[in-house]
Amino acid sequence: MSFRALLVCVLSVAAASPAFAGGSPLDGKWALEELRDGIVTSGVHTTLEVAPGGRVGGNGGCNGYGGSVSVDDDTLRFTDIAWTELACEPATMAQEASFLAVLAAAAKFHAEAGVLVLIDSAGSKLATLRAL
């Protein structure tokens, strides 16, 4: 293998590595599976997308939202969350309100094998999301 081919292989692997790219285990698209209060309505798709650099967005089930997240090891803080204000079915609105409250309360996370768990400052699980 030539030096150039080896260099291309090494750089390709390094660029795909989140640690090299400055990424976070949160980066990516996630779908809500479970909420602390059990409000997960069948057919309501609540999502979270985290971009490198800390921008977040998604759909609460009815309304789109966006904001920022700061991450340090296993701690996090969602800030500047704003959303549209459409009205939907009551069950959808309840799930959305609960999810937005989870984002406000989340202080820690655990991400492994395509599963993201958001945790409050007391160590209680707030929500479970699965990678899309």
Side-chain angles (χ1 to χ4, degrees), residues 31-43:
L32 181 67
E33 284 197 340
E34 180 182 342
L35 279 167
R36 63 180 170 188
D37 56 14
I39 300 174
V40 177
T41 304
S42 177

Side-chain angles (χ1 to χ4, degrees), residues 83-128:
W83 56 92
T84 59
E85 295 185 3
L86 301 174
C88 292
E89 296 294 321
T92 301
M93 297 301 293
Q95 178 173 313
E96 181 171 274
S98 184
F99 180 70
L100 292 171
V102 160
L103 295 182
K108 296 184 178 197
F109 73 96
H110 177 76
E112 186 175 351
V115 176
L116 171 63
V117 178
L118 298 177
I119 303 162
D120 68 15
S121 60
S124 298
K125 180 171 74 169
L126 297 172
T128 303

Side-chain angles (χ1 to χ4, degrees), residues 48-72:
L48 169 67
E49 184 171 352
V50 182
R55 295 298 307 158
V56 298
N59 190 287
C62 180
N63 291 285
Y65 68 90
S68 300
V69 65
S70 56
V71 178
D72 184 19

